[in-house]
Amino acid sequence: MLSRRSRQGCRLTFAGLLFCVALIAAAPAAGQSTTTTTTTSTTTTTPPGAPVGAPPAPTNVATILPGGKASIPAGAPDSVVRAIQAANRIHRRTYIWGGGHRGFKAKGYDCSGAVSYVLHAAGVLSSPLVSGQLASWGAPGYGTWITVFANRVHTYMYIAGLRFDTSPRGEWIDQGRGPRWRYTLRTGTGFAIRHYPGL
């Protein structure tokens, strides 16, 4: 049996050995830096930790700005720019059931009124539709820039990768009900997925 003093010595030796192994393992990571790859006349900077030759981040994705409005991605078609601008105009309006159905301009909007307002601004809808009608609007499937999710009781949309929705469902930030840019996406389960051809 080992004495108390020799057991402590073994523990210290083992701890020292683990410390050395950790330092050796961390040494390559400490030397990492941003890499620059040059091809012909193009220079790309790869973020630390990204594999060399990784594809660039998508450019058709908007972001939510500090004030709650959405940015407009570079290269967005005019109709998408108008859609984002329209959504930004009403993004803090009150939720009013039936709002936006008598006309596109209203004091507040419900889900289909808000989606109709944005689609009208994009130039792809001539009069407001209820959510059940939006479930058969346009063409089936996801759009490149704008996708509408609709069933007979609710509708929302993705514009340039962001969710525009009157429902806070799935949100970790409580922004309340009403037209808002939401920080989380929804799965689309139970909804018809529609888009306007070319968008």
Side-chain angles (χ1 to χ4, degrees), residues 31-179:
Q32 284 185 353
S33 62
T34 303
T35 59
T36 303
T37 308
T38 307
T39 5
T40 322
S41 63
T42 306
T43 303
T44 56
T45 302
T46 307
V52 175
T59 57
N60 62 341
V61 177
T63 57
I64 299 176
L65 301 171
K69 293 183 177 184
S71 66
I72 297 172
D78 289 339
S79 54
V80 174
V81 171
R82 290 191 308 268
I84 292 171
Q85 290 171 336
N88 282 342
R89 276 193 298 276
I90 65 168
H91 89 284
R92 288 288 181 197
R93 294 282 174 96
T94 305
Y95 179 90
I96 298 176
W97 188 82
H101 290 281
R102 287 196 173 157
F104 288 111
K105 293 185 180 182
K107 290 182 181 179
Y109 295 85
D110 67 5
C111 61
S112 53
V115 168
S116 292
Y117 178 84
V118 172
L119 292 175
H120 175 69
V124 297
L125 186 69
S126 58
S127 61
L129 299 177
V130 297
S131 58
Q133 293 170 315
L134 285 165
S136 58
W137 166 86
Y142 288 87
T144 304
W145 291 93
I146 297 175
T147 303
V148 172
F149 299 82
N151 60 29
R152 61 186 185 85
V153 295
H154 187 60
T155 187
Y156 63 96
M157 64 194 315
Y158 291 170
I159 307 171
L162 292 180
R163 176 177 142 217
F164 189 69
D165 195 347
T166 58
S167 169
R169 186 173 201 168
E171 284 287 287
W172 51 275
I173 293 177
D174 183 10
Q175 299 184 73
R177 293 180 68 194

